[in-house]
C-alpha cells in the first residue's frame, strides 16, 4: 500500500467521525438493498418478534419532547404493545450540567398526554428500579471495573491540554480526532496506583481494528466499520470512546448498554443518527459477554427542502401543538406515518388500530414531514370524537365557553341560544365547522365571535356591489326567511333562495332599464349569499351560510337581517346628504 501523503488528506474536507460513519453506513446499506444476502433478512425483520418485546424510551432531561423523540417513544411503545410486552421509561440524567429543571416532569406529562403510558419507570416503579441513571451510579462503576480487569477498557490519564493539542494536530492533517492510545501501555498495577492517589483520568473502551457487521432490522446487514484509523506515519489514531468521565460519571455508551442489559430490553428502535454508535455498543456487549438487543434505526425527519428538522423548529414543539389543541390521537396517527409503512387502505388510525396493525416495516432513508397531513388527520379524529364524545372535546368546550363569557366585546343574545345552553350551542357550532378542529379555544372564539353578535364591518366591506343593488338584495333577503318555523331547515332555505333569485331575474328581464347584472342568475345568487353572510355573521368565513341560518333559528336570523337593512338605509341616507352638499 502506498503511503498516504498530507496533500492527499487535504483534498477531502474534514467532517466529524460520526457524520462520516453515518454517510458510509447509508451508502453501503443502499448499495446492498438489492443483494441476495440482505433481502431475506429484511423480509424476516418486517415481522413482529415471536416473543413479547421489552422496549424502552430513554430521554435525557436536557430538553423537552419534540416530534422526533415522540416518534421514537411511539414506535417502541407500539412494538411492546403489539407483542404483549412491556414499554419502559428510563431517564438518562447523567449530564447534570445540561439538565433542565422540570424537564423530567414535563416529559412524563407529555407522554401521558399522548397516551403512551409506560409499564415500568418513574412514577410507576418496576422490578428493575431505579429508572433514573443518576440513581444507578454504583452499577456503572462496578461494570467499568469489570472491563478494566478484563482489559477491554483502560484508564487514560492524559490531560485535557494534551488531548486538545492532539486533536488540533490531527485536525490539521485532515484526520479524525481520535486518541493515540498513549495510556494503553500503562500496566494494571501502575494504573490502579495512580487512580488510587486521585490522579484525574477517564476510562476508555478498547475498540477493534475493524468492527464486525451486524444485522439492523431496517437496513439489513450493516458494516464493516473501522474502529482504528490509519493516518500519516506515527499518526495512528484509535476511536476508543470514553466510558467513564473524569468526574466518575458514565457516558451514554456505558450507561445505555448496562441499563438495557439489566432491564432485559430485547429491542431498541431509535433514529438513524445513532447508527455510528451501534458498533461501539455491540463491542461493549461482547466485552461483557452479554447478548445484545435487536436494533432498528429509522430515518431522520426533514423539512420540505430536505433539511433536517431542528428540535428548535416551532413546528416540532410539542407544547405548541398542545396549545393549538391538536388531539393526542391525531398526533400519534401522524407521527406513526413518519417512517412506518402499512398495507391498509386508509392512513386513519386510532392508537388501538396502530397497535393492531403495527409491524417493523420501516422506510429506508429519511422522511419529509408534511404538516398538512397532520391537519387532515386532526379533522378526521375531530369529527370522530364529535360523533362519539371524548374528554378532549369536553375540555375544549369548557375553555371556549369560559372565553366567550369573559370577552367583553361579546354580549350573547338569548335569542341566539334559542333555549339552548351556551355549551350546547358551541357544541353544535363545532359540529358545523370541523375546519376549526386545529385551532386553540381563543382562535375559535375570534373566528366565530360574529355568530354571537359582534359586528365591526360595513356592507361595502363584505361585498363590492353598488349601493342601489344592495338595497334591492337586502329587501329580497327578507323574503328568504319567510318560512314557517316548523319548516326551518337547510333544504327549505336553499329552495327558498333559488326561488327568490328566480323572481329577481324574471322581474328585471322585463325591465330593460335595470342593470344587466341583475338579469344574471349567478350574479344575483352570489350577491344574495354575500349579503346574508354580511348581515348575519359580519361577512366572516366559516360554516356554510345555510347551516348557520338553521343553527341561529328564524327569529334571530330575522332580527339580524332587519338590523343590517336598517344600517344600510342609514348609510345610504348619509351618502345622499353628503352628495347634495357637494352640489
Amino acid at each position: 500500500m502506498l503511503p498516504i501523503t498530507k496533500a492527499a488528506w487535504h483534498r477531502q474536507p474534514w467532517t466529524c467521525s460520526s457524520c462520516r460513519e453515518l454517510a458510509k453506513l447509508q451508502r453501503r446499506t443502499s448499495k446492498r438493498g438489492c443483494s441476495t444476502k440482505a433481502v431475506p433478512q429484511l423480509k424476516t425483520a418486517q415481522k413482529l418478534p415471536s416473543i413479547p418485546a421489552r422496549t424502552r424510551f430513554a430521554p435525557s432531561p436536557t430538553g423537552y419532547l419534540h416530534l422526533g423523540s415522540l416518534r421514537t417513544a411511539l414506535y417502541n411503545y407500539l412494538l411492546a404493545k403489539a407483542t404483549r410486552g412491556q414499554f419502559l421509561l428510563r431517564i438518562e440524567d447523567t449530564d447534570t450540567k445540561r439538565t433542565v429543571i422540570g424537564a423530567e416532569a414535563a416529559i412524563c406529562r407529555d407522554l401521558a398526554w399522548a397516551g403512551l403510558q409506560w409499564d415500568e419507570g418513574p412514577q410507576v416503579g418496576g422490578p428493575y428500579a431505579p429508572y433514573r441513571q443518576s440513581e444507578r451510579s454504583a452499577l456503572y462503576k462496578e461494570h467499568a471495573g469489570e472491563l478494566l480487569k478484563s482489559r477491554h477498557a483502560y484508564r487514560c490519564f492524559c490531560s485535557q491540554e494534551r488531548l486538545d493539542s492532539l486533536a488540533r494536530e490531527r485536525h490539521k492533517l485532515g484526520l479524525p480526532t481520535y486518541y493515540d492510545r498513549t495510556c494503553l501501555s500503562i500496566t494494571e498495577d501502575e494504573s490502579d496506583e495512580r487512580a488510587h492517589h486521585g490522579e484525574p483520568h477517564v476510562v476508555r473502551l478498547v475498540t477493534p481494528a475493524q468492527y464486525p457487521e451486524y444485522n439492523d432490522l431496517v437496513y439489513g446487514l450493516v458494516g464493516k466499520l473501522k474502529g482504528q484509523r490509519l493516518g500519516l506515519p506515527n499518526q495512528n489514531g484509535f476511536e476508543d470512546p470514553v466510558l467513564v468521565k473524569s468526574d466518575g460519571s458514565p457516558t451514554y455508551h456505558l450507561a445505555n448498554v448496562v441499563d438495557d442489559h439489566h432491564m432485559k430490553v430485547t429491542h431498541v428502535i431509535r433514529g438513524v443518527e445513532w447508527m455510528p454508535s451501534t458498533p461501539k455498543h455491540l463491542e461493549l456487549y461482547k466485552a461483557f459477554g452479554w447478548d445484545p438487543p435487536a436494533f432498528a434505526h429509522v430515518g431522520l425527519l426533514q423539512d420540505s427542502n430536505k433539511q433536517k428538522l431542528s428540535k428548535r423548529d416551532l413546528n416540532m414543539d410539542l407544547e405548541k401543538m398542545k396549545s393549538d389543541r391538536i388531539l393526542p390521537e391525531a398526533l400519534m396517527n401522524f407521527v406513526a406515518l413518519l417512517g412506518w409503512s402499512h398495507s391498509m387502505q386508509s392512513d386513519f388510525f386510532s392508537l388501538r388500530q396502530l397497535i393492531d396493525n403495527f409491524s417493523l416495516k420501516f422506510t429506508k432513508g429519511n422522511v419529509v414531514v408534511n404538516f398538512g397531513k397532520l391537519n387532515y388527520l386532526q379533522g378526521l379524529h375531530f369529527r370522530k370524537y364529535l360523533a362519539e364524545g371524548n374528554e378532549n372535546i369536553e375540555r375544549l368546550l369548557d375553555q371556549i365557553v369560559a372565553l366567550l363569557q369573559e370577552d367583553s366585546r361579546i354580549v350573547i343574545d338569548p335569542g341566539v341560544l334559542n333555549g339552548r345552553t351556551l355549551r350546547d350551542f358551541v357544541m353544535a357550532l363545532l359540529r358545523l365547522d370541523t375546519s376549526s378542529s386545529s385551532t386553540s379555544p381563543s382562535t375559535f372564539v375570534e373566528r366565530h365571535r360574529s355568530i354571537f353578535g359582534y359586528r365591526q364591518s360595513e356592507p361595502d366591506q363584505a361585498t363590492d356591489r353598488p349601493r342601489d343593488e344592495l338595497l334591492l338584495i337586502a329587501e329580497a333577503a327578507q323574503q328568504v326567511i319567510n318560512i314557517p318555523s316548523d319548516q326551518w331547515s337547510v333544504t327549505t332555505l336553499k329552495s327558498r333562495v333559488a326561488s327568490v333569485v328566480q323572481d329577481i331575474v324574471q322581474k328585471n328581464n322585463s325591465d330593460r332599464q335595470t342593470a344587466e347584472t341583475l338579469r344574471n342568475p349567478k350574479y344575483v345568487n352570489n350577491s344574495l349569499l354575500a349579503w346574508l353572510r354580511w348581515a348575519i355573521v359580519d361577512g366572516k368565513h366559516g360554516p356554510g351560510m345555510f347551516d348557520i341560518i338553521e343553527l341561529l333559528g328564524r327569529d334571530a336570523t330575522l332580527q339580524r337581517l332587519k338590523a343590517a337593512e336598517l344600517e344600510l338605509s342609514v348609510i345610504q341616507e348619509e351618502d345622499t346628504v353628503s352628495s347634495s352638499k357637494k352640489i
Side-chain angles (χ1 to χ4, degrees), residues 170 178-181 207 227-229 236-240:
R170 293 182 64 82
Y178 289 156
Y179 182 56
D180 60 2
R181 282 186 175 172
T207 55
Q228 174 182 338
R229 296 293 183 190
N236 287 347
F238 304 85
E239 187 170 15
D240 291 4

Side-chain angles (χ1 to χ4, degrees), residues 32-56:
R32 188 182 290 114
C34 297
S35 71
T36 56
K37 191 173 183 180
V39 171
Q41 292 175 341
L42 284 176
K43 286 183 178 178
T44 303
Q46 291 169 3
K47 298 177 182 178
L48 292 175
S50 57
I51 60 171
R54 281 180 63 83
T55 65
R56 48 77 170 171

Side-chain angles (χ1 to χ4, degrees), residues 87-152:
F87 173 60
L88 286 64
L89 174 62
R90 185 174 71 227
I91 303 298
E92 300 195 340
D93 58 348
T94 56
D95 190 350
T96 55
K97 292 181 180 179
R98 295 174 56 226
T99 296
V100 176
I101 296 175
E104 179 186 329
I107 289 169
C108 293
R109 186 169 59 249
D110 289 342
L111 286 175
W113 171 84
L116 307 183
Q117 181 57 52
W118 52 101
D119 301 297
E120 299 174 25
Q123 302 179 0
V124 300
Y128 304 103
Y131 292 89
R132 294 182 185 88
Q133 287 187 339
S134 59
E135 300 171 6
R136 301 170 66 84
S137 300
L139 186 64
Y140 308 136
K141 184 177 180 180
E142 174 189 340
H143 284 293
E146 291 179 10
L147 292 176
L148 288 170
K149 288 180 181 178
S150 66
R151 302 298 290 174
H152 286 99

Side-chain angles (χ1 to χ4, degrees), residues 502-515:
Q502 187 178 13
D503 289 345
I504 294 174
V505 172
Q506 287 180 349
K507 179 181 178 181
N508 287 283
N509 273 335
S510 60
D511 185 359
R512 310 308 293 182
Q513 294 183 351
T514 59

Side-chain angles (χ1 to χ4, degrees), residues 67 70-75 77-78 113-116 301 318 321 326-358 362 367-385:
L67 209 59
L70 191 62
R71 183 185 63 162
T72 299
L74 175 63
Y75 284 162
Y77 172 88
L78 292 176
W113 171 84
L116 307 183
L301 299 183
L318 189 60
M321 294 182 187
I326 296 295
L327 297 169
E329 204 162 26
L331 183 58
M332 293 303 95
N333 190 169
F334 173 66
V335 170
L337 300 174
L338 298 177
W340 171 65
S341 300
H342 63 87
S343 58
M344 305 299 288
Q345 294 183 344
S346 170
D347 283 342
F348 179 51
F349 292 95
S350 65
L351 189 57
R352 180 70 254 176
Q353 289 169 327
L354 285 173
I355 294 170
D356 293 341
N357 291 280
F358 190 68
F362 295 115
V367 182
V368 175
V369 180
N370 175 14
F371 287 100
K373 182 83 170 196
L374 174 58
N375 292 331
Y376 167 74
L377 292 170
Q378 168 81 357
L380 294 181
H381 284 275
F382 195 79
R383 287 189 284 275
K384 176 190 172 187
Y385 286 170

Side-chain angles (χ1 to χ4, degrees), residues 328-494:
E329 204 162 26
L331 183 58
M332 293 303 95
N333 190 169
F334 173 66
V335 170
L337 300 174
L338 298 177
W340 171 65
S341 300
H342 63 87
S343 58
M344 305 299 288
Q345 294 183 344
S346 170
D347 283 342
F348 179 51
F349 292 95
S350 65
L351 189 57
R352 180 70 254 176
Q353 289 169 327
L354 285 173
I355 294 170
D356 293 341
N357 291 280
F358 190 68
S359 70
L360 293 173
K361 189 177 180 182
F362 295 115
T363 304
K364 280 187 178 182
N366 299 328
V367 182
V368 175
V369 180
N370 175 14
F371 287 100
K373 182 83 170 196
L374 174 58
N375 292 331
Y376 167 74
L377 292 170
Q378 168 81 357
L380 294 181
H381 284 275
F382 195 79
R383 287 189 284 275
K384 176 190 172 187
Y385 286 170
L386 283 173
E388 299 177 355
N390 178 274
E391 62 179 10
N392 291 291
I393 298 297
E394 296 300 317
R395 190 158 48 245
L396 177 61
L397 279 172
D398 290 339
Q399 293 171 333
I400 291 174
V401 169
L403 286 176
L404 284 169
Q405 292 172 336
E406 295 168 3
D407 195 329
S408 59
R409 299 168 302 174
I410 300 174
V411 178
I412 300 173
D413 184 355
V416 172
L417 301 180
N418 196 20
R420 294 164 291 193
T421 65
L422 179 57
R423 186 185 179 85
D424 288 341
F425 185 86
V426 170
M427 184 64 166
L429 186 54
L430 279 171
R431 288 196 172 100
L432 286 183
D433 192 16
T434 53
S435 62
S436 64
S437 57
S438 299
T439 60
S440 65
S442 59
T443 305
F444 178 90
V445 171
E446 189 68 23
R447 174 180 171 84
H448 294 298
R449 62 184 181 180
S450 56
I451 291 181
F452 296 94
Y454 179 80
R455 301 183 62 80
Q456 62 179 4
S457 66
E458 294 186 359
D460 52 0
Q461 292 177 311
T463 175
D464 57 358
R465 297 346 183 212
R467 289 284 171 83
D468 55 343
E469 286 188 14
L470 282 178
L471 287 169
L472 187 150
I473 293 296
E475 292 175 5
Q478 297 291 339
Q479 302 174 38
V480 171
I481 63 168
N482 190 20
I483 301 171
S485 297
D486 58 353
Q487 297 179 27
W488 195 260
S489 68
V490 169
T491 302
T492 308
L493 287 165
K494 286 183 177 180

